[in-house]
Amino acid sequence: MDSLTDLRVRQPERISEAWQQRRRRELVGADGRLLIVAADHPARGALGVRGDRMAMASRPALIDRLITALERPGVDGVLATPDVLEDLLLLGALEGKVVIGSMNRGGLQGAAFELDDRFTAYRSAGEIAARRLDGGKMLTRIDLGDPGTVATLESSAAAVTGLAEHKLMAMVEPFWSTRKDGRVTNLLDPDSVIKSIHIASGLGATSAYTWLKLPVVDDLERVMEATTLPTLLLGGDPTVSPEETYASWGKALSLPSVRGLVVGRALLFPPDGNVSAAVDRAAVLVHGGVA
């Protein structure tokens, strides 16, 4: 990774040039499904995987895992913040891939201002369009007891509208949230998820380019009746066995509005360390016999 640092020191203009030269692709292929690898957790200071609080601390190790994942058949693209995307870009790993920029990362994990989730990465649809990315993602946590929620909702709505004007995907990740013992907790019961879906679906002047990013929860068939928007399921911090995780994904992917997965830690940091095998299993679930 020394070459990346040297490039950043001597030729920082290479980044903007590489965005303009990057080979793009259609958002979805013939099956209308997506498998996206997520790596925007570090920008919130969220580095833990299972019991290891610093699992994602090494940037070279993370980039290496991401490149391994992106090289596997059936992996459509990546979701990350500018720093991670630019490392991958300079290494040529984003050619022909769907690239989603993570927008609001100001709600740092554990902070008193966590729900006032400022757009501190890609701050606008214009910044994403100028770099020829394929969409933007915004985490939209809704806590009726936290005044910061309304600013997040307003900013997310503006991003949804702006991305639609550029005909780019707006990936909205809503949660009904609360604070317990000073920590933000996302409520994952079906009714709470349904409420968050309805609020997220109404953000912006149009929902034409809006996709949802939702957790796998109980009674998911009823939950997914809350929307006609295409939905990608998130992986989260993998706390159950891989077999349970894959089984839950497989069942959920049979629902009509579920169009794929956005998974980070479960694929990049599998218990056995075999990133390729973990990604290949997910690709088969999303796309069928591609791997």
Side-chain angles (χ1 to χ4, degrees), residues 41-49 52-57 109 265 269:
H41 315 80
R44 288 192 190 278
L47 304 175
V49 181
D52 185 352
R53 295 186 301 108
M54 302 299 286
M56 302 179 77
Q109 186 180 57
R265 292 165 288 186
F269 295 87

Side-chain angles (χ1 to χ4, degrees), residues 205-273:
T206 177
S207 61
Y209 293 87
T210 302
W211 290 53
L212 298 178
K213 179 174 182 252
L214 297 175
V216 179
V217 298
D218 293 338
D219 204 5
L220 191 62
E221 186 172 357
R222 178 170 71 90
V223 169
M224 292 312 303
E225 288 181 357
T227 185
T228 58
L229 298 180
T231 298
L232 302 173
L233 302 175
L234 61 92
D237 189 3
T239 55
V240 300
S241 72
E243 293 303 323
E244 289 180 72
T245 299
Y246 289 116
S248 68
W249 289 346
K251 183 178 180 181
L253 283 162
S254 67
L255 299 173
S257 57
V258 176
R259 294 307 175 102
L261 301 172
V262 181
V263 184
R265 292 165 288 186
L267 299 184
L268 296 174
F269 295 87
D272 64 0

Side-chain angles (χ1 to χ4, degrees), residues 5 13 21 173 195 239:
T5 302
E13 70 280 0
Q21 295 164 3
E173 181 181 9
K195 285 192 291 185
T239 55

Side-chain angles (χ1 to χ4, degrees), residues 8 50 67 81 95-96 104 130 132 150 156 166 185 203 243 266 280 287:
R8 288 177 174 276
R50 291 181 291 275
I67 289 175
T81 46
E95 294 302 306
N104 57 329
R132 301 175 65 249
V150 70
S156 294
H166 290 284
T185 299
L203 294 174
E243 293 303 323
D280 288 351
H287 291 297

